[in-house]
Amino acid sequence: MQYISTRGSAPTLDFEGATLAGLASDGGLYLPSEWPRFTPEDIAAMRGLPYHELAARVMEPFVAGSLTREELSALTEAVYGDFGHKAVTPLVQMDETHWLLELFHGPTLAFKDVALQLLGRLFETFLERRKQRLTIVGATSGDTGSAAIRAVAGLERVEIFMLHPKGRVSEVQRRQMTTVRAPNVHNLAIEGSFDDAQRHVKRMFGDTHVNGVLNLGAVNSINWARLMAQVVYYFYAGLQLGAPERAAAYSVPTGNFGDVFAGYVAGCMGLPIERLIVATNINDILHRALKDGDYSAGEVTPTQTPSMDIQVSSNFERLLFDCGGRDGAAMAAQMAGFERARAMQLTNSQREGAAAIFASASADPDATVRAMQWAQRGAAQVIDPHTAVGLHASLALVEDGTLERGVPVVTLATAHPAKFRDAVERAVGVRPSLPTRVGDLFGREESFSEISGDYEASRDFVLENAAGRLDSASATA
Ligand SMILES: *Cc1c(COP(=O)(O)O)cnc(C)c1O
């Protein structure tokens, strides 16, 4: 499979190249040059497969040329054999219409583990093949950082530097990052906000001095391999609800548009999908874009669903590219306009393409709390606030008739309730306990470096620490 950039001028790469590159060199995002398609018979033949086998089936066309079927199967078996639930992503029924797809049974209790655990293994495989090292630099408001660190801790050929805004991530989230003790893991607590940390990271990717010394890689959802791994659980849920004969709707708590875009890919591959619901909190740029075609970024308002406190959703570009006729030059021009004005209008073909499959709804703090109460009182399910934003959207769109009665509606449960237990306790009066698989988070020692808010401080820290490890690696090689 070949991968092309949404902005049309970066080199075409194979799966291995696209995985290691992350962002394309023209600033765009990599996508398969065409969507592989399963027939209804292919899909029917997937019924009842264990998760890791289904994963290999669904991902095989995307990795063709870079991994053999046997190599891919070995990877998925190793990754998904290690989750906290035998079903990996169990589907739970709430009432005759509503279902929860539990995506939080990985090591850090958020759905990001499902893809990042695989990405860590892919890095290891490809870097070993190329005899290269990779330095990952990322910024996190919480969930991405811990999941990425757990995915690469201890790998020989990967160094990870994770920047978090000091004092602005929850204690559980911080400890999930800072108590992982491995020589290749570096936590940086930065003075400033998440946006400041994010800006430093972006600047490092464009810094020729840094790039001259280090081979930088990305673990956020601009990395295609992450989205690919997320396509699998749509098939997993859809098959249980009657695919290929019957379609379901999926409601996805959305931030960077990665998870819900994976649902779109599942649809392009032949999975019957009634609707994909983009559920946002009050940071609702995507809801406005899908409703009115107006994609304009405002200021981020902090909420009880921090992993969705985003104004600009990187992966939306992938959808606009695909719906807009896959014209890289036009996409580059449209994005350049957006980067100048922080606003753009969707074209007619983009609007129509998106409207054919997506619906959207946004949840304010009260609606989020009400959805948590509905789940607890009506279905004995304690859910986290992010999941509650998704459930609110599911309930609202069934209520207003956007979704017909009789269509099963799956809300993606993106985080374990214990990860946000203060908010859960305030809403439903129950304090969820941390599953034993996270270990003694509060007994273990933390390790992180406090860094001032200027770019140079972060850059120099990365250069000194990564280069030091590079030297010792070559000295012992
Ligand atoms: C990252 C995250 C999201 C948003 O997912 P995107 O792929 O960025 O849209 C939603 N919920 C939780 C708990 C997350 O960690």
Side-chain angles (χ1 to χ4, degrees):
M1 175 66 77
Q2 292 295 305
Y3 288 83
I4 57 172
S5 164
T6 51
R7 301 200 190 170
S9 55
T12 299
L13 298 175
D14 63 5
F15 176 71
E16 176 179 323
T19 300
L20 293 177
L23 195 68
S25 58
D26 57 8
L29 306 173
Y30 277 109
L31 269 189
S33 58
E34 60 189 0
W35 298 121
R37 227 181 136 78
F38 295 123
T39 64
E41 295 72 41
D42 294 335
I43 295 174
M46 297 174 184
R47 280 192 198 122
L49 290 179
Y51 192 93
H52 68 93
E53 283 181 32
L54 176 68
R57 258 323 148 93
V58 171
M59 295 191 287
E60 192 183 348
F62 292 119
V63 306
S66 295
L67 291 171
T68 64
R69 170 185 288 210
E70 290 69 35
E71 286 169 323
L72 178 63
S73 296
L75 286 176
T76 60
E77 194 173 349
V79 168
Y80 298 118
D82 206 25
F83 270 58
H85 195 293
K86 283 240 163 24
V88 183
T89 63
L91 184 66
V92 175
Q93 186 160 21
M94 303 185 84
D95 69 9
E96 59 279 11
T97 303
H98 293 281
W99 302 73
L100 280 179
L101 182 61
E102 293 184 353
L103 302 176
F104 50 69
H105 293 283
T108 73
L109 314 181
F111 85 94
K112 294 183 172 73
D113 290 322
V114 179
L116 278 163
Q117 287 288 312
L118 180 74
L119 186 63
R121 304 256 178 174
L122 290 170
F123 281 154
E124 187 174 49
T125 306
F126 295 147
L127 292 168
E128 182 59 37
R129 221 180 249 180
R130 295 181 170 204
K131 302 286 176 239
Q132 284 179 356
R133 297 179 60 86
L134 190 70
T135 302
I136 291 165
V137 185
T140 185
S141 52
D143 288 345
T144 304
S146 53
I149 286 171
R150 281 297 289 269
V152 304
L155 297 187
E156 283 295 322
R157 295 185 172 274
V158 177
E159 215 54 42
I160 186 166
F161 295 85
M162 193 51 68
L163 283 62
H164 71 263
K166 186 175 149 197
R168 301 200 198 185
V169 299
S170 79
E171 188 174 9
V172 170
Q173 288 180 320
R174 190 190 70 238
R175 286 182 170 274
Q176 282 187 312
M177 297 191 281
T178 59
T179 60
V180 178
R181 306 301 290 273
N184 67 332
V185 171
H186 311 271
N187 280 291
L188 285 70
I190 304 285
E191 296 287 351
S193 67
F194 167 69
D195 285 336
D196 297 327
Q198 178 82 21
R199 238 193 326 274
H200 292 348
V201 170
K202 286 202 174 135
R203 206 166 144 191
M204 254 180 260
F205 274 84
D207 187 323
T208 46
H209 178 53
V210 177
N211 283 284
V213 187
L214 302 173
N215 177 23
L216 292 184
V219 285
N220 54 12
S221 56
I222 60 170
N223 195 309
W224 163 256
R226 271 187 65 180
L227 303 190
M228 173 189 77
Q230 291 169 218
V231 174
V232 176
Y233 47 67
Y234 288 90
F235 276 90
Y236 190 70
L239 283 160
Q240 289 174 67
L241 295 173
E245 284 85 20
R246 187 161 76 137
Y250 300 83
S251 177
V252 188
T254 296
N256 228 345
F257 205 76
D259 206 6
V260 75
F261 186 76
Y264 172 81
V265 175
C268 293
M269 296 175 79
L271 184 73
I273 292 182
E274 188 65 39
R275 282 277 136 198
L276 289 168
I277 304 166
V278 176
T280 70
N281 63 26
I282 53 176
N283 297 294
D284 64 349
I285 179 173
L286 287 167
H287 176 50
R288 284 182 283 119
L290 291 166
K291 200 159 49 80
D292 310 319
D294 165 32
Y295 190 73
S296 57
E299 289 298 309
V300 175
T301 308
T303 70
Q304 59 195 325
T305 46
S307 298
M308 301 162 65
D309 289 347
I310 272 181
Q311 279 294 338
V312 178
S313 299
S314 327
N315 284 294
F316 199 49
E317 179 172 341
R318 286 187 158 112
L319 178 73
L320 297 180
F321 176 73
D322 203 49
C323 291
R326 292 193 156 220
D327 180 342
M331 197 70 233
Q334 194 178 15
M335 291 311 295
F338 176 74
E339 275 152 27
R340 271 193 309 275
R342 306 254 311 149
M344 66 185 177
Q345 282 296 316
L346 272 49
T347 66
N348 283 340
S349 61
Q350 288 169 336
R351 287 186 68 170
E352 283 159 19
I357 180 81
F358 290 96
S360 63
S362 101
D364 66 20
D366 286 343
T368 309
V369 167
R370 281 199 307 275
M372 288 159 83
Q373 293 169 343
W374 185 94
Q376 205 240 344
R377 290 171 195 161
Q381 293 291 325
V382 177
I383 61 172
D384 104 287
H386 299 79
T387 307
V389 168
L391 180 61
H392 164 78
S394 299
L395 294 167
L397 295 190
V398 170
E399 184 70 18
D400 75 8
T402 307
L403 294 171
E404 271 175 48
R405 306 255 162 206
V407 173
V409 186
V410 179
T411 299
L412 274 55
T414 50
H416 191 290
K419 205 156 184 179
F420 299 95
R421 49 195 179 165
D422 293 339
V424 172
E425 186 173 17
R426 274 196 303 276
V428 299
V430 175
R431 190 165 178 81
S433 49
L434 282 167
T436 49
R437 70 177 178 283
V438 303
D440 181 17
L441 215 49
F442 289 87
R444 286 198 302 253
E445 203 184 317
E446 293 187 77
S447 148
F448 59 90
S449 305
E450 296 185 26
I451 308 280
S452 79
D454 41 275
Y455 168 70
E456 287 72 20
S458 294
R459 182 200 59 194
D460 293 347
F461 185 92
V462 170
L463 281 173
E464 275 161 34
N465 289 277
R469 293 257 304 159
L470 287 180
D471 290 347
S472 63
S474 54
T476 56

mmCIF file of all heavy atoms in Angstrom, residues 216-250:
data_model
loop_
_atom_site.group_PDB
_atom_site.id
_atom_site.type_symbol
_atom_site.label_atom_id
_atom_site.label_comp_id
_atom_site.label_asym_id
_atom_site.label_seq_id
_atom_site.Cartn_x
_atom_site.Cartn_y
_atom_site.Cartn_z
ATOM 1 N N LEU A 216 13.420 12.783 14.348
ATOM 2 C CA LEU A 216 12.233 13.004 15.178
ATOM 3 C C LEU A 216 11.039 12.215 14.665
ATOM 4 O O LEU A 216 10.823 12.086 13.465
ATOM 5 C CB LEU A 216 11.869 14.494 15.198
ATOM 6 C CG LEU A 216 12.835 15.444 15.903
ATOM 7 C CD1 LEU A 216 12.256 16.863 15.900
ATOM 8 C CD2 LEU A 216 13.130 15.009 17.332
ATOM 9 N N GLY A 217 10.231 11.725 15.603
ATOM 10 C CA GLY A 217 9.024 10.988 15.232
ATOM 11 C C GLY A 217 7.840 11.464 16.055
ATOM 12 O O GLY A 217 8.001 12.132 17.070
ATOM 13 N N ALA A 218 6.635 11.130 15.581
ATOM 14 C CA ALA A 218 5.418 11.619 16.226
ATOM 15 C C ALA A 218 4.554 10.464 16.705
ATOM 16 O O ALA A 218 4.479 9.420 16.058
ATOM 17 C CB ALA A 218 4.620 12.471 15.249
ATOM 18 N N VAL A 219 3.921 10.672 17.840
ATOM 19 C CA VAL A 219 3.007 9.650 18.355
ATOM 20 C C VAL A 219 1.575 10.159 18.451
ATOM 21 O O VAL A 219 0.703 9.448 18.888
ATOM 22 C CB VAL A 219 3.419 9.148 19.755
ATOM 23 C CG1 VAL A 219 4.608 8.236 19.652
ATOM 24 C CG2 VAL A 219 3.665 10.303 20.703
ATOM 25 N N ASN A 220 1.330 11.405 18.073
ATOM 26 C CA ASN A 220 -0.062 11.865 18.144
ATOM 27 C C ASN A 220 -0.829 11.325 16.941
ATOM 28 O O ASN A 220 -0.270 10.628 16.099
ATOM 29 C CB ASN A 220 -0.152 13.387 18.283
ATOM 30 C CG ASN A 220 0.611 14.098 17.203
ATOM 31 O OD1 ASN A 220 1.028 13.494 16.238
ATOM 32 N ND2 ASN A 220 0.793 15.376 17.368
ATOM 33 N N SER A 221 -2.117 11.662 16.881
ATOM 34 C CA SER A 221 -2.945 10.953 15.899
ATOM 35 C C SER A 221 -2.752 11.471 14.482
ATOM 36 O O SER A 221 -3.460 11.066 13.572
ATOM 37 C CB SER A 221 -4.416 10.987 16.304
ATOM 38 O OG SER A 221 -4.848 12.318 16.483
ATOM 39 N N ILE A 222 -1.750 12.334 14.246
ATOM 40 C CA ILE A 222 -1.377 12.592 12.870
ATOM 41 C C ILE A 222 -0.707 11.347 12.283
ATOM 42 O O ILE A 222 -0.591 11.206 11.082
ATOM 43 C CB ILE A 222 -0.424 13.804 12.711
ATOM 44 C CG1 ILE A 222 0.869 13.574 13.470
ATOM 45 C CG2 ILE A 222 -1.107 15.092 13.159
ATOM 46 C CD1 ILE A 222 1.930 14.604 13.154
ATOM 47 N N ASN A 223 -0.261 10.426 13.160
ATOM 48 C CA ASN A 223 0.385 9.210 12.680
ATOM 49 C C ASN A 223 -0.669 8.218 12.163
ATOM 50 O O ASN A 223 -1.519 7.756 12.909
ATOM 51 C CB ASN A 223 1.218 8.585 13.805
ATOM 52 C CG ASN A 223 2.179 7.548 13.267
ATOM 53 O OD1 ASN A 223 1.785 6.643 12.532
ATOM 54 N ND2 ASN A 223 3.447 7.690 13.599
ATOM 55 N N TRP A 224 -0.589 7.911 10.885
ATOM 56 C CA TRP A 224 -1.599 7.059 10.246
ATOM 57 C C TRP A 224 -1.774 5.717 10.964
ATOM 58 O O TRP A 224 -2.888 5.205 11.097
ATOM 59 C CB TRP A 224 -1.258 6.818 8.767
ATOM 60 C CG TRP A 224 -2.036 5.669 8.256
ATOM 61 C CD1 TRP A 224 -1.568 4.407 8.019
ATOM 62 C CD2 TRP A 224 -3.457 5.632 7.996
ATOM 63 N NE1 TRP A 224 -2.608 3.598 7.620
ATOM 64 C CE2 TRP A 224 -3.774 4.325 7.600
ATOM 65 C CE3 TRP A 224 -4.474 6.589 8.067
ATOM 66 C CZ2 TRP A 224 -5.068 3.937 7.269
ATOM 67 C CZ3 TRP A 224 -5.769 6.204 7.740
ATOM 68 C CH2 TRP A 224 -6.059 4.892 7.346
ATOM 69 N N ALA A 225 -0.657 5.139 11.443
ATOM 70 C CA ALA A 225 -0.746 3.802 12.036
ATOM 71 C C ALA A 225 -1.707 3.785 13.229
ATOM 72 O O ALA A 225 -2.369 2.783 13.498
ATOM 73 C CB ALA A 225 0.640 3.319 12.464
ATOM 74 N N ARG A 226 -1.808 4.906 13.922
ATOM 75 C CA ARG A 226 -2.744 4.950 15.047
ATOM 76 C C ARG A 226 -4.180 4.837 14.555
ATOM 77 O O ARG A 226 -4.986 4.095 15.096
ATOM 78 C CB ARG A 226 -2.580 6.254 15.830
ATOM 79 C CG ARG A 226 -1.545 6.139 16.921
ATOM 80 C CD ARG A 226 -1.508 7.364 17.796
ATOM 81 N NE ARG A 226 -2.727 7.589 18.552
ATOM 82 C CZ ARG A 226 -2.895 8.602 19.382
ATOM 83 N NH1 ARG A 226 -1.920 9.480 19.546
ATOM 84 N NH2 ARG A 226 -4.011 8.754 20.044
ATOM 85 N N LEU A 227 -4.509 5.606 13.537
ATOM 86 C CA LEU A 227 -5.884 5.565 13.027
ATOM 87 C C LEU A 227 -6.210 4.174 12.507
ATOM 88 O O LEU A 227 -7.293 3.644 12.723
ATOM 89 C CB LEU A 227 -6.061 6.603 11.915
ATOM 90 C CG LEU A 227 -5.737 8.043 12.299
ATOM 91 C CD1 LEU A 227 -6.188 8.970 11.180
ATOM 92 C CD2 LEU A 227 -6.422 8.433 13.583
ATOM 93 N N MET A 228 -5.246 3.587 11.820
ATOM 94 C CA MET A 228 -5.452 2.251 11.263
ATOM 95 C C MET A 228 -5.837 1.258 12.360
ATOM 96 O O MET A 228 -6.766 0.457 12.185
ATOM 97 C CB MET A 228 -4.158 1.801 10.585
ATOM 98 C CG MET A 228 -4.170 0.375 10.120
ATOM 99 S SD MET A 228 -2.543 -0.171 9.568
ATOM 100 C CE MET A 228 -1.713 -0.450 11.139
ATOM 101 N N ALA A 229 -5.150 1.333 13.488
ATOM 102 C CA ALA A 229 -5.440 0.381 14.571
ATOM 103 C C ALA A 229 -6.826 0.629 15.164
ATOM 104 O O ALA A 229 -7.449 -0.288 15.707
ATOM 105 C CB ALA A 229 -4.367 0.488 15.655
ATOM 106 N N GLN A 230 -7.314 1.852 15.057
ATOM 107 C CA GLN A 230 -8.619 2.175 15.625
ATOM 108 C C GLN A 230 -9.783 1.737 14.720
ATOM 109 O O GLN A 230 -10.907 1.614 15.179
ATOM 110 C CB GLN A 230 -8.698 3.676 15.921
ATOM 111 C CG GLN A 230 -7.772 4.062 17.066
ATOM 112 C CD GLN A 230 -7.606 5.558 17.230
ATOM 113 O OE1 GLN A 230 -6.521 6.022 17.539
ATOM 114 N NE2 GLN A 230 -8.646 6.311 17.012
ATOM 115 N N VAL A 231 -9.493 1.513 13.454
ATOM 116 C CA VAL A 231 -10.544 1.044 12.536
ATOM 117 C C VAL A 231 -11.095 -0.301 13.021
ATOM 118 O O VAL A 231 -12.280 -0.599 12.881
ATOM 119 C CB VAL A 231 -9.973 0.905 11.103
ATOM 120 C CG1 VAL A 231 -10.995 0.291 10.154
ATOM 121 C CG2 VAL A 231 -9.483 2.250 10.584
ATOM 122 N N VAL A 232 -10.202 -1.087 13.643
ATOM 123 C CA VAL A 232 -10.547 -2.472 13.994
ATOM 124 C C VAL A 232 -11.764 -2.540 14.919
ATOM 125 O O VAL A 232 -12.661 -3.358 14.722
ATOM 126 C CB VAL A 232 -9.327 -3.157 14.657
ATOM 127 C CG1 VAL A 232 -9.684 -4.556 15.116
ATOM 128 C CG2 VAL A 232 -8.134 -3.168 13.701
ATOM 129 N N TYR A 233 -11.825 -1.662 15.931
ATOM 130 C CA TYR A 233 -12.920 -1.853 16.895
ATOM 131 C C TYR A 233 -14.278 -1.446 16.345
ATOM 132 O O TYR A 233 -15.300 -1.866 16.879
ATOM 133 C CB TYR A 233 -12.610 -1.274 18.273
ATOM 134 C CG TYR A 233 -12.046 0.113 18.398
ATOM 135 C CD1 TYR A 233 -12.792 1.232 18.066
ATOM 136 C CD2 TYR A 233 -10.763 0.294 18.931
ATOM 137 C CE1 TYR A 233 -12.275 2.505 18.246
ATOM 138 C CE2 TYR A 233 -10.234 1.562 19.106
ATOM 139 C CZ TYR A 233 -10.992 2.661 18.771
ATOM 140 O OH TYR A 233 -10.494 3.923 18.958
ATOM 141 N N TYR A 234 -14.320 -0.666 15.284
ATOM 142 C CA TYR A 234 -15.614 -0.435 14.633
ATOM 143 C C TYR A 234 -16.121 -1.736 14.006
ATOM 144 O O TYR A 234 -17.292 -2.072 14.095
ATOM 145 C CB TYR A 234 -15.497 0.659 13.568
ATOM 146 C CG TYR A 234 -15.321 2.055 14.157
ATOM 147 C CD1 TYR A 234 -14.061 2.578 14.411
ATOM 148 C CD2 TYR A 234 -16.437 2.828 14.472
ATOM 149 C CE1 TYR A 234 -13.910 3.845 14.951
ATOM 150 C CE2 TYR A 234 -16.292 4.100 15.012
ATOM 151 C CZ TYR A 234 -15.020 4.605 15.252
ATOM 152 O OH TYR A 234 -14.878 5.844 15.794
ATOM 153 N N PHE A 235 -15.219 -2.458 13.362
ATOM 154 C CA PHE A 235 -15.604 -3.760 12.818
ATOM 155 C C PHE A 235 -16.017 -4.706 13.945
ATOM 156 O O PHE A 235 -16.989 -5.454 13.830
ATOM 157 C CB PHE A 235 -14.452 -4.374 12.007
ATOM 158 C CG PHE A 235 -14.401 -3.879 10.580
ATOM 159 C CD1 PHE A 235 -13.672 -2.750 10.241
ATOM 160 C CD2 PHE A 235 -15.097 -4.552 9.576
ATOM 161 C CE1 PHE A 235 -13.635 -2.290 8.935
ATOM 162 C CE2 PHE A 235 -15.062 -4.097 8.254
ATOM 163 C CZ PHE A 235 -14.333 -2.959 7.937
ATOM 164 N N TYR A 236 -15.272 -4.659 15.034
ATOM 165 C CA TYR A 236 -15.534 -5.577 16.147
ATOM 166 C C TYR A 236 -16.949 -5.364 16.685
ATOM 167 O O TYR A 236 -17.709 -6.317 16.887
ATOM 168 C CB TYR A 236 -14.493 -5.322 17.244
ATOM 169 C CG TYR A 236 -14.494 -6.340 18.341
ATOM 170 C CD1 TYR A 236 -14.051 -7.641 18.109
ATOM 171 C CD2 TYR A 236 -14.923 -6.007 19.625
ATOM 172 C CE1 TYR A 236 -14.031 -8.577 19.126
ATOM 173 C CE2 TYR A 236 -14.908 -6.941 20.641
ATOM 174 C CZ TYR A 236 -14.454 -8.232 20.392
ATOM 175 O OH TYR A 236 -14.444 -9.158 21.394
ATOM 176 N N ALA A 237 -17.330 -4.107 16.886
ATOM 177 C CA ALA A 237 -18.677 -3.810 17.385
ATOM 178 C C ALA A 237 -19.720 -4.075 16.302
ATOM 179 O O ALA A 237 -20.762 -4.693 16.555
ATOM 180 C CB ALA A 237 -18.747 -2.352 17.846
ATOM 181 N N GLY A 238 -19.434 -3.619 15.074
ATOM 182 C CA GLY A 238 -20.398 -3.764 13.985
ATOM 183 C C GLY A 238 -20.759 -5.228 13.727
ATOM 184 O O GLY A 238 -21.925 -5.564 13.519
ATOM 185 N N LEU A 239 -19.766 -6.102 13.782
ATOM 186 C CA LEU A 239 -20.021 -7.531 13.554
ATOM 187 C C LEU A 239 -20.956 -8.093 14.615
ATOM 188 O O LEU A 239 -21.846 -8.876 14.326
ATOM 189 C CB LEU A 239 -18.692 -8.304 13.559
ATOM 190 C CG LEU A 239 -17.854 -8.168 12.283
ATOM 191 C CD1 LEU A 239 -16.397 -8.527 12.552
ATOM 192 C CD2 LEU A 239 -18.425 -9.054 11.172
ATOM 193 N N GLN A 240 -20.776 -7.654 15.853
ATOM 194 C CA GLN A 240 -21.649 -8.170 16.921
ATOM 195 C C GLN A 240 -23.075 -7.647 16.776
ATOM 196 O O GLN A 240 -24.020 -8.246 17.275
ATOM 197 C CB GLN A 240 -21.100 -7.773 18.290
ATOM 198 C CG GLN A 240 -19.835 -8.528 18.635
ATOM 199 C CD GLN A 240 -19.226 -8.023 19.933
ATOM 200 O OE1 GLN A 240 -19.798 -8.177 20.988
ATOM 201 N NE2 GLN A 240 -18.069 -7.404 19.831
ATOM 202 N N LEU A 241 -23.235 -6.513 16.108
ATOM 203 C CA LEU A 241 -24.564 -5.919 15.970
ATOM 204 C C LEU A 241 -25.178 -6.215 14.597
ATOM 205 O O LEU A 241 -26.116 -5.559 14.182
ATOM 206 C CB LEU A 241 -24.486 -4.415 16.228
ATOM 207 C CG LEU A 241 -24.095 -4.063 17.674
ATOM 208 C CD1 LEU A 241 -23.876 -2.566 17.824
ATOM 209 C CD2 LEU A 241 -25.156 -4.541 18.658
ATOM 210 N N GLY A 242 -24.616 -7.176 13.879
ATOM 211 C CA GLY A 242 -25.314 -7.641 12.672
ATOM 212 C C GLY A 242 -24.665 -7.315 11.341
ATOM 213 O O GLY A 242 -25.238 -7.600 10.299
ATOM 214 N N ALA A 243 -23.480 -6.708 11.314
ATOM 215 C CA ALA A 243 -22.804 -6.473 10.027
ATOM 216 C C ALA A 243 -22.473 -7.820 9.396
ATOM 217 O O ALA A 243 -22.201 -8.780 10.122
ATOM 218 C CB ALA A 243 -21.517 -5.668 10.241
ATOM 219 N N PRO A 244 -22.511 -7.939 8.090
ATOM 220 C CA PRO A 244 -22.709 -6.873 7.103
ATOM 221 C C PRO A 244 -24.174 -6.559 6.787
ATOM 222 O O PRO A 244 -24.435 -5.649 6.010
ATOM 223 C CB PRO A 244 -22.015 -7.438 5.856
ATOM 224 C CG PRO A 244 -22.233 -8.913 5.973
ATOM 225 C CD PRO A 244 -22.152 -9.225 7.438
ATOM 226 N N GLU A 245 -25.136 -7.315 7.377
ATOM 227 C CA GLU A 245 -26.548 -7.081 7.017
ATOM 228 C C GLU A 245 -27.102 -5.816 7.651
ATOM 229 O O GLU A 245 -27.917 -5.120 7.055
ATOM 230 C CB GLU A 245 -27.425 -8.276 7.416
ATOM 231 C CG GLU A 245 -27.310 -9.478 6.492
ATOM 232 C CD GLU A 245 -26.133 -10.379 6.860
ATOM 233 O OE1 GLU A 245 -25.670 -10.288 8.026
ATOM 234 O OE2 GLU A 245 -25.654 -11.142 5.992
ATOM 235 N N ARG A 246 -26.729 -5.568 8.914
ATOM 236 C CA ARG A 246 -27.366 -4.468 9.623
ATOM 237 C C ARG A 246 -26.344 -3.384 9.963
ATOM 238 O O ARG A 246 -25.225 -3.677 10.359
ATOM 239 C CB ARG A 246 -27.998 -5.008 10.916
ATOM 240 C CG ARG A 246 -28.836 -3.978 11.629
ATOM 241 C CD ARG A 246 -29.813 -4.616 12.616
ATOM 242 N NE ARG A 246 -29.129 -5.054 13.830
ATOM 243 C CZ ARG A 246 -29.624 -4.868 15.054
ATOM 244 N NH1 ARG A 246 -30.762 -4.239 15.247
ATOM 245 N NH2 ARG A 246 -28.963 -5.317 16.108
ATOM 246 N N ALA A 247 -26.772 -2.122 9.831
ATOM 247 C CA ALA A 247 -25.888 -0.995 10.131
ATOM 248 C C ALA A 247 -26.130 -0.500 11.550
ATOM 249 O O ALA A 247 -27.242 -0.551 12.066
ATOM 250 C CB ALA A 247 -26.140 0.149 9.145
ATOM 251 N N ALA A 248 -25.082 0.030 12.174
ATOM 252 C CA ALA A 248 -25.202 0.660 13.488
ATOM 253 C C ALA A 248 -24.738 2.109 13.376
ATOM 254 O O ALA A 248 -24.103 2.495 12.390
ATOM 255 C CB ALA A 248 -24.353 -0.089 14.509
ATOM 256 N N ALA A 249 -25.084 2.911 14.378
ATOM 257 C CA ALA A 249 -24.547 4.274 14.488
ATOM 258 C C ALA A 249 -23.510 4.288 15.602
ATOM 259 O O ALA A 249 -23.598 3.499 16.550
ATOM 260 C CB ALA A 249 -25.676 5.257 14.790
ATOM 261 N N TYR A 250 -22.536 5.172 15.477
ATOM 262 C CA TYR A 250 -21.454 5.252 16.463
ATOM 263 C C TYR A 250 -21.303 6.691 16.925
ATOM 264 O O TYR A 250 -21.209 7.601 16.090
ATOM 265 C CB TYR A 250 -20.126 4.786 15.846
ATOM 266 C CG TYR A 250 -20.180 3.361 15.353
ATOM 267 C CD1 TYR A 250 -20.707 3.069 14.095
ATOM 268 C CD2 TYR A 250 -19.761 2.306 16.160
ATOM 269 C CE1 TYR A 250 -20.800 1.755 13.644
ATOM 270 C CE2 TYR A 250 -19.848 0.990 15.711
ATOM 271 C CZ TYR A 250 -20.371 0.724 14.457
ATOM 272 O OH TYR A 250 -20.464 -0.585 14.017
#
